[in-house]
Amino acid sequence: MTKKTAIVTGITGQDGSYLSELLLQSNYTVIACRRRSSTNNLERVTHLLDDPNFILTEFDLTDPSGVYQTIQKYQPDEFYNLAAQSHVGTSFKQPSTTFEINTVGVTNILEGIRHYSPHTKLYQASTSEMFGRNYSTETDGKRYQNEKTEMLPQSPYGIAKLAAHNMVEIYRSGYNLFACCGILFNHESPRRGENFVTQKIVKWIKDYIASGKSPDFPKLKLGNLAAHRDWGHAKDYVRAMWMMLQQETPKDYVIATGETHSVQEFLDLAFKSVQLNPEDHVEIDPDLFRPAEVEYLCGDPTFANNDLGWNPQVSFKGLIQDMLES
């Protein structure tokens, strides 16, 4: 098997770490890109640092000259852009920064590939948040989002991601680059960041049990429990990313489970698995509600199922169990 080189941005995050593992197992050299930090944020990839095919490098996608130099130096077969300001709530507080990273940064990558490595195949991480409050409806009334659903983002994060998504299409059609987007719905794992609601719930449970179930332990503060999301496992979703870049023709795909569950359902199942009642331990905090909320997301992965042969392997209950047992 010919050895390939892949640049992966955002390797300190959940998706970057799982994707790096997958690529290394598939005989790739991984150029692992991360922003410089004064603190150690490599806990998700510590086990990969001794692998000679895992090359850690400093990278900031908002710095065009640095992006160009990295692409020109490594001439990668594949480029997976997973770096982003990825928290929807934070995007309302930092809209300009979110746009700079999530849109201008992607344009820097596209320009770098166009000028210095046009053979490179690009994967851009798009998001279900681009659909916002919009959805399609089947004849039986089921609501869903797929590749043909009109996008109507409800956050600075969603808007920035949609702009990048459209920019990829321009470079694909205008410059004949192999560039595609994975429209990924929510995907979680034991490596999920603690500021995301699923991990926030799981971490509270672990900390509460570790306290000996102290009666003085502070309650879990949550926002909108009625919001519905299509949750899958990150390991399944990074496999889809890789599969997209193995195709002959670049296309955009919705990656989802086809099921939707409310935050309340996630909360109830997680608490039930450790014999706890959420009503005794959860407090609704109005400050955690977003200025504009996406109430319902349910992806239709039919195109990815048929065209890529991709299917998720971890169920909703299996995902929660994996997060709790980690």
Side-chain angles (χ1 to χ4, degrees):
M1 182 186 296
T2 304
K3 195 174 191 65
K4 291 182 178 181
T5 297
I7 289 178
V8 180
T9 67
I11 60 98
T12 60
Q14 165 189 256
D15 291 5
S17 63
Y18 281 124
L19 179 61
S20 294
E21 290 174 354
L22 174 65
L23 294 174
L24 290 170
Q25 291 165 7
S26 302
N27 195 37
Y28 280 69
T29 296
V30 175
I31 311 304
C33 296
R34 64 153 183 161
R35 294 181 71 180
R36 185 187 178 280
S37 174
S38 59
T39 58
N40 182 11
N41 60 353
L42 296 173
E43 61 272 8
R44 294 184 179 92
V45 293
T46 301
H47 60 297
L48 302 178
L49 296 179
D50 292 333
D51 190 321
N53 293 314
F54 186 77
I55 301 171
L56 196 63
T57 185
E58 285 187 16
F59 183 89
D60 187 336
L61 77 173
T62 64
D63 176 51
S65 62
V67 172
Y68 301 162
Q69 289 172 22
T70 300
I71 291 172
Q72 189 172 28
K73 176 180 179 179
Y74 291 106
Q75 297 284 306
D77 298 283
E78 297 168 7
F79 192 122
Y80 297 86
N81 181 40
L82 310 184
Q85 191 301 96
S86 59
H87 194 262
V88 176
T90 298
S91 76
F92 284 99
K93 301 173 183 176
Q94 301 177 12
S96 298
T97 298
T98 299
F99 198 85
E100 183 72 22
I101 295 170
N102 294 3
T103 305
V104 178
V106 176
T107 306
N108 291 338
I109 292 169
L110 287 163
E111 277 288 279
I113 290 175
R114 179 168 81 93
H115 288 292
Y116 302 108
S117 188
H119 72 280
T120 297
K121 293 183 174 183
L122 173 67
Y123 170 85
Q124 164 62 14
S126 287
T127 169
S128 58
E129 291 288 332
M130 299 187 306
F131 294 115
R133 61 171 178 258
N134 211 18
Y135 53 82
S136 303
T137 308
E138 293 180 355
T139 53
D140 62 0
K142 180 181 178 182
R143 296 178 293 168
Y144 64 91
Q145 290 95 2
N146 66 13
E147 292 82 3
K148 296 180 180 179
T149 304
E150 184 179 355
M151 295 177 179
L152 191 67
Q154 295 298 296
S155 65
Y157 170 76
I159 290 170
K161 280 289 192 175
L162 179 55
H165 183 85
N166 289 338
M167 195 68 78
V168 169
E169 165 58 26
I170 288 172
Y171 277 73
R172 182 168 61 207
S173 59
Y175 301 113
N176 201 33
L177 297 185
F178 191 111
C180 61
C181 298
I183 307 170
L184 271 57
F185 281 62
N186 295 66
H187 47 290
E188 320 296 313
S189 76
R191 300 180 189 176
R192 190 56 146 155
E194 293 179 5
N195 56 343
F196 291 88
V197 67
T198 52
Q199 190 70 293
K200 184 177 181 180
I201 292 169
V202 169
K203 184 179 185 301
W204 185 94
I205 291 173
K206 292 178 180 179
D207 291 346
Y208 176 65
I209 292 174
S211 77
K213 299 184 179 180
S214 168
D216 299 323
F217 196 81
K219 288 190 173 185
L220 171 61
K221 292 186 177 182
L222 297 174
N224 183 11
L225 300 185
H228 280 70
R229 294 292 183 268
D230 184 327
W231 276 300
H233 198 295
K235 276 189 175 181
D236 283 335
Y237 286 44
V238 300
R239 180 165 45 85
M241 299 174 190
W242 176 80
M243 294 174 79
M244 290 181 207
L245 295 197
Q246 311 317 306
Q247 306 305 303
E248 292 295 325
T249 305
K251 303 172 188 174
D252 301 332
Y253 297 88
V254 161
I255 302 300
T257 69
E259 298 179 6
T260 188
H261 300 274
S262 67
V263 177
Q264 182 74 62
E265 287 179 76
F266 190 102
L267 176 69
D268 289 344
L269 278 172
F271 271 64
K272 183 179 179 181
S273 68
V274 290
Q275 291 80 51
L276 292 175
N277 184 353
E279 294 181 3
D280 297 332
H281 303 284
V282 174
E283 177 182 320
I284 301 302
D285 184 350
D287 291 338
L288 296 178
F289 282 74
R290 295 169 183 167
E293 180 64 89
V294 174
E295 293 289 348
Y296 182 91
L297 290 173
C298 183
D300 172 17
T302 302
F303 184 47
N305 298 158
N306 295 337
D307 202 61
L308 296 176
W310 175 86
N311 285 284
Q313 297 175 352
V314 181
S315 68
F316 179 61
K317 289 183 178 180
L319 167 66
I320 295 174
Q321 203 60 37
D322 187 36
M323 294 180 72
L324 284 168
E325 291 178 354
S326 65

